Amino acid sequence: MVGKIKGTGSYRPVQVWDNDKLSHMMDTSDEWIRGRTGIGQRHIASGGETVAYMAARAAEEALSDARMRPEEIDLLLVSTMSSERIMPCAACEVQKLIGAVNAACFDLNGACTGFLLALNTAQAYLGQQIYRRALVIGSETLSHLTNWEDRSTCVLFGDGAGAVVLEAEENAVYIQAAHSIGSRGEALTCVSRNQQQFIEKDADLSSTYMQMDGKEVFKFAVSKVPEVITEVLEKAGKTKEEIRFYMLHQANKRIVASVSKHMNEPLEKYPMNIENLGNTSSASIPLLLDEWNKKGRLNSGDWIILSGFGGGLTYGASLLQW
Ligand code: COA
């Protein structure tokens, strides 16, 4: 017994910043950003578009897609590393906003692999028959963690939320592999702002924005993602040809292209929406899944592999049947 995805939803902040806007804010260009990353624009949260608000909007859409009522949800997980509030957790705020009064709620932080890790957690609960229906959400306001004076990172990220509703089913399939390499964690860091100010009164706050060794992260992703996808295929006894879509965390078009080449599987099997959304960390996989679902690109019975990677360093892949 594991969970089957019954519905998907998403939320994109109203404000959109394209590359031309960024080129007026700093020394960069549409040509550089598109060429190196595939990103053309990103949504930027404003006003009341918090992690919890966006998560709730995505959750409502996923519930409506699943034709389920909020009270039917037993478990509500939010994957985020950018929540405005430490307490109450975003999942409890979502519970309040959507009226999922019967759900146990908590947040997880696994950086850009977070959604996949939250999905694994929900599947463990459903597999043990502790809960029957789960809402799993990835929601990020990365623009709050972005140093807008650091052109090497700020052009990469965007805000948004994606959600899925799972229901336990006898014949559903979910096979996963997840790994972490804490010893390489310094490649992608962000120190808590409160912590930094507490340690040192006039602290340099630059470390409280996302800092990254771009080349190191790139090398990590292009080597580990094909490895973990292969691991899941072997565990499942499936061939790569049987997979309809490989839905990767949207960090960089060149990373996706490199994985497709490594796997020797056509790029058409690797959906991308990074051009419009940028890297939305743990929201990127459910945003992509929702887009493909709403476009009617997913057919019942399709085998899909999701794969995430990022800060930690963390990475993983999961096979599911649509
Ligand atoms: N606009 C214009 N020029 C820029 C720039 C920008 N936004 N950012 C950096 N540059 C410049 C650099 O200063 C450097 O100039 P120099 O050669 O004169 O020193 C040049 O572009 C090349 O920079 P470099 O960092 O070597 O580029 P790169 O080819 O490694 O690409 C990334 C940079 C960030 C796009 C790439 O490393 C990457 O995508 N890494 C993975 C990051 C990622 O996905 N992280 C999230 C994982 S979850």
Side-chain angles (χ1 to χ4, degrees):
M1 177 90 76
V2 283
K4 190 169 174 85
I5 295 180
K6 295 290 181 173
T8 64
S10 57
Y11 181 81
R12 293 162 183 72
V14 176
Q15 194 176 199
V16 176
W17 289 8
D18 65 13
N19 293 342
D20 286 336
K21 178 175 170 77
L22 297 192
S23 71
H24 289 107
M25 292 164 61
M26 66 199 77
D27 182 14
T28 190
S29 65
D30 180 55
E31 191 191 358
W32 193 95
I33 303 170
R34 272 184 199 277
R36 301 277 172 136
T37 69
I39 298 167
Q41 62 170 44
R42 71 286 295 142
H43 290 248
I44 301 290
S46 60
E49 291 175 319
T50 61
V51 160
Y53 172 81
M54 298 193 301
R57 295 290 301 272
E60 281 168 344
E61 221 183 84
L63 283 168
S64 140
D65 189 37
R67 294 186 179 82
M68 258 181 228
R69 287 176 288 114
E71 313 86 84
E72 293 180 277
I73 296 297
D74 313 306
L75 175 68
L76 196 167
L77 303 180
V78 174
S79 160
T80 187
M81 60 172 178
S82 51
S83 192
E84 291 77 8
R85 280 175 144 190
I86 293 168
M87 200 164 58
C89 67
C92 283
E93 290 193 84
V94 173
Q95 175 185 43
K96 182 171 75 177
L97 289 168
I98 69 172
V101 289
N102 296 313
C105 307
F106 59 93
D107 292 359
L108 291 92
N109 173 5
C112 301
T113 319
F115 176 78
L116 216 58
L117 297 170
L119 201 56
N120 292 348
T121 306
Q123 291 289 21
Y125 277 105
L126 301 189
Q128 290 294 312
Q129 301 182 38
I130 297 168
Y131 300 121
R132 268 197 70 205
R133 298 192 183 99
L135 242 173
V136 184
I137 310 166
S139 183
E140 304 282 5
T141 47
L142 298 180
S143 57
H144 300 166
L145 305 179
T146 300
N147 181 354
W148 291 101
E149 288 176 358
D150 175 7
R151 67 175 183 170
S152 69
T153 55
C154 73
V155 301
L156 305 174
F157 300 104
D159 301 333
V164 302
V165 173
L166 294 173
E167 185 169 39
E169 267 187 18
E170 205 61 66
N171 298 321
V173 179
Y174 187 79
I175 293 163
Q176 63 84 33
H179 303 285
S180 308
I181 321 173
S183 60
R184 287 169 72 184
E186 292 310 306
L188 247 170
T189 59
C190 185
V191 174
S192 150
R193 212 152 292 169
N194 293 340
Q195 182 68 10
Q196 192 68 355
Q197 277 165 334
F198 177 72
I199 293 168
E200 217 180 304
K201 202 159 172 287
D202 299 313
D204 168 16
L205 294 183
S206 59
S207 66
T208 67
Y209 296 109
M210 283 184 286
Q211 295 185 323
M212 180 177 73
D213 180 340
K215 284 196 193 324
E216 180 67 17
V217 176
F218 195 96
K219 275 192 284 179
F220 149 73
V222 299
S223 68
K224 292 298 178 188
V225 173
E227 207 175 283
V228 75
I229 290 176
T230 306
E231 182 183 343
V232 163
L233 285 171
E234 280 170 8
K235 259 190 181 178
K238 294 253 164 263
T239 63
K240 56 188 185 171
E241 291 79 13
E242 288 176 86
I243 306 304
R244 177 88 201 282
F245 288 119
Y246 296 89
M247 298 207 168
L248 270 48
H249 164 51
Q250 302 287 289
N252 187 316
K253 171 183 87 173
R254 292 188 297 139
I255 292 177
V256 179
S258 167
V259 172
S260 143
K261 202 168 155 204
H262 260 77
M263 295 298 300
N264 199 17
E265 280 283 87
L267 200 52
E268 298 78 63
K269 288 174 88 170
Y270 292 77
M272 279 191 257
N273 61 5
I274 190 168
E275 185 179 3
N276 296 325
L277 297 177
N279 177 346
T280 57
S281 188
S282 71
S284 88
I285 292 175
L287 274 161
L288 188 63
L289 204 50
D290 181 55
E291 193 173 322
W292 251 243
N293 182 24
K294 300 280 160 63
K295 281 181 173 162
R297 303 284 310 274
L298 307 175
N299 299 317
S300 177
D302 282 350
W303 292 102
I304 296 169
I305 284 188
L306 311 177
S307 180
F309 55 90
L313 298 174
T314 53
Y315 62 105
S318 300
L319 171 81
L320 55 89
Q321 192 169 31
W322 194 252

